[in-house]
Amino acid sequence: MSFGMVLLRESLRTQLLRGRTWLLLFLLPLMIWGSARLLPAEEVSTPVEVGVVLPEEGGEEFWTRLEERSGLVVTFHQVDYPQAEGQVAAGRWDCAVILPEDFLQRMERQEVEGLFTLLVGPGSAAYPMVRETAAACVAELISPRMAGDYLLDSGILDEEGLVQARSRLEKVLLDQDRVLVSMETADGRPLDAITLADRGVSNLLAGLTAILLLIWMLMAAMDLGRWLDSPFARRLAPLRGTLPLLLPRLGAELLPALSSGVLALLAAGGSPACILALVPYLMFWGAAALALACFRPLWSAMPALLPFAPALGLLLSPVLLDLSLLFPALGPVIRWMPVTLYLRAGGGIWGDGLVLAGGGVAILALLTALERRKT
């Protein structure tokens, strides 16, 4: 059996005899499983709730059209004003649409400016979409009358012709006859609200898993650095080389980390792509751990820098939010962060997984070149 295999076997045995390894192995899946279960169910699966205050008379057709748009993304509730105000103020509902009492008369006069009031709270986020939805319903109600007036004023039809054409003016166009708007996310993916809502939770859990694995690998870098600084490793390094000594021990660190990450994603219901993306992600951080372990000032500074890793991972990757949408200057930094690359690879963009693997190979090649220069 080769020296490397013997060292890998002994390193794995040492790892399995340490209580910290078993703690980390099961702590990560338990944390992710607990996070998935502790997320409030209404925050995960319930659509945005919006109140609608109708006038005593004249708002029935508007409500019918608005209710047709109620579904898995936005749910509209017909309520009175005090209830709408209370629910929005308490943060239970995102916003509320308030129609005036003279709504029907204003529609007949085609006075649509300031036709409805939007009641929002400090935490309202979906009100622009609700405003556009309400405006679309108003447009559906008023467009037949506007089209008829135009046909009369332009002389295209007379009163008798307009009566005959009224059914055509009120006809709802089929999808192939409409002007359709396709939406996409900031990174160019098609925007499907339901899919993105489900993906948001899985991305959050996958991102947390990636950040916790990052902490694991930084701790592994410290362990490798301490072992390389031991008298045994110092005696062997000139004979065997630094990298041949560290690679088997790194393998002993990566196998539990990979197992823990797979268990965590399985517990969170992660997709197969997210699980497979762990391989290039850990390849990159494994190579980075080798680089840190080879330089004593770097791995010895890890205890002081380790607390900042989770914060930077959350801020500089789209786990909780994408700061590049608020601060475009951060876009290139966030785009090429390892956690971002992992999330994109887990979303099916395998080119980013290749970037991670290529980065790991590049670090190994650089370390090999530096070691050869020393010899």
Side-chain angles (χ1 to χ4, degrees):
M1 186 178 294
S2 67
F3 175 80
M5 292 301 298
V6 172
L7 188 55
L8 174 61
R9 185 188 63 186
E10 294 303 318
S11 299
L12 275 175
R13 181 182 298 176
T14 303
Q15 287 282 355
L16 295 177
L17 291 176
R18 295 168 63 183
R20 194 192 76 175
T21 301
W22 292 100
L23 176 64
L24 293 176
L25 182 62
F26 293 107
L27 181 62
L28 175 57
L30 286 174
M31 289 178 63
I32 298 300
W33 181 85
S35 299
R37 299 302 180 274
L38 291 176
L39 284 174
E42 63 270 13
E43 297 296 332
V44 175
S45 58
T46 303
V48 174
E49 296 188 88
V50 177
V52 182
V53 180
L54 300 177
E56 293 185 2
E57 296 181 357
E60 293 80 9
E61 291 188 23
F62 176 85
W63 171 247
T64 299
R65 284 168 167 77
L66 196 63
E67 196 175 24
E68 290 175 354
R69 292 166 166 81
S70 184
L72 296 177
V73 179
V74 180
T75 298
F76 296 97
H77 303 280
Q78 183 180 349
V79 294
D80 55 19
Y81 184 84
Q83 184 178 358
E85 187 179 35
Q87 295 282 41
V88 173
R92 298 188 184 93
W93 291 355
D94 187 86
C95 57
V97 179
I98 316 297
L99 298 187
E101 288 298 326
D102 60 344
F103 175 77
L104 184 59
Q105 293 76 18
R106 294 177 64 176
M107 290 287 291
E108 292 176 350
R109 297 193 301 267
Q110 300 182 23
E111 297 177 1
V112 296
E113 184 175 356
L115 184 61
F116 56 84
T117 302
L118 205 60
L119 186 67
V120 300
S124 298
Y127 65 89
M129 179 178 63
V130 174
R131 179 178 56 203
E132 299 303 321
T133 303
C137 294
V138 171
E140 283 188 12
L141 290 173
I142 204 172
S143 57
R145 183 182 295 274
M146 292 180 64
D149 292 344
Y150 171 78
L151 293 174
L152 287 176
D153 295 341
S154 62
I156 298 175
L157 294 177
D158 54 15
E159 291 288 349
E160 183 179 352
L162 182 61
V163 172
Q164 297 176 357
R166 181 66 65 184
S167 60
R168 294 179 60 188
L169 295 177
E170 296 177 354
K171 181 180 178 182
V172 178
L173 294 177
L174 300 176
D175 287 346
Q176 60 266 26
D177 299 323
R178 299 183 184 184
V179 177
L180 300 178
V181 179
S182 61
M183 298 181 291
E184 61 182 27
T185 61
D187 57 1
R189 289 178 292 174
L191 189 151
D192 179 75
I194 299 174
T195 302
L196 288 180
D198 294 336
R199 189 182 298 165
V201 177
S202 61
N203 271 0
L204 171 62
L205 297 176
L208 292 176
T209 301
I211 292 171
L212 291 173
L213 288 177
L214 164 61
I215 298 172
W216 184 317
M217 295 313 300
L218 293 179
M219 295 173 63
M222 289 189 291
D223 289 342
L224 292 174
R226 291 193 192 98
W227 181 83
L228 191 61
D229 205 36
S230 66
F232 173 77
R234 285 182 179 180
R235 287 193 297 267
L236 277 180
L239 301 175
R240 292 284 181 174
T242 302
L243 287 182
L245 287 179
L246 288 179
L247 282 172
R249 296 191 67 87
L250 176 65
E253 297 278 359
L254 286 175
L255 286 176
L258 179 62
S259 302
S260 181
V262 170
L263 290 175
L265 292 177
L266 288 175
S271 65
C274 280
I275 296 174
L276 289 175
L278 287 176
V279 175
Y281 181 72
L282 288 176
M283 282 179 61
F284 174 83
W285 282 119
L290 280 181
L292 293 173
C294 289
F295 301 96
R296 196 177 196 283
L298 295 180
W299 65 260
S300 61
M302 281 297 105
L305 300 178
L306 201 58
F308 298 98
L312 290 176
L314 289 173
L315 291 175
L316 297 180
S317 59
V319 177
L320 295 177
L321 74 162
D322 190 350
L323 285 180
S324 64
L325 299 177
L326 301 176
F327 307 101
L330 290 176
V333 178
I334 293 176
R335 169 63 181 85
W336 297 108
M337 287 292 290
V339 177
T340 305
L341 293 173
Y342 164 73
L343 291 175
R344 289 171 60 87
I349 307 175
W350 284 106
D352 287 6
L354 294 176
V355 171
L356 283 170
V361 172
I363 294 174
L364 284 177
L366 180 60
L367 292 176
T368 302
L370 290 176
E371 185 168 2
R372 286 180 178 176
R373 287 188 62 183
K374 291 179 181 179
T375 57

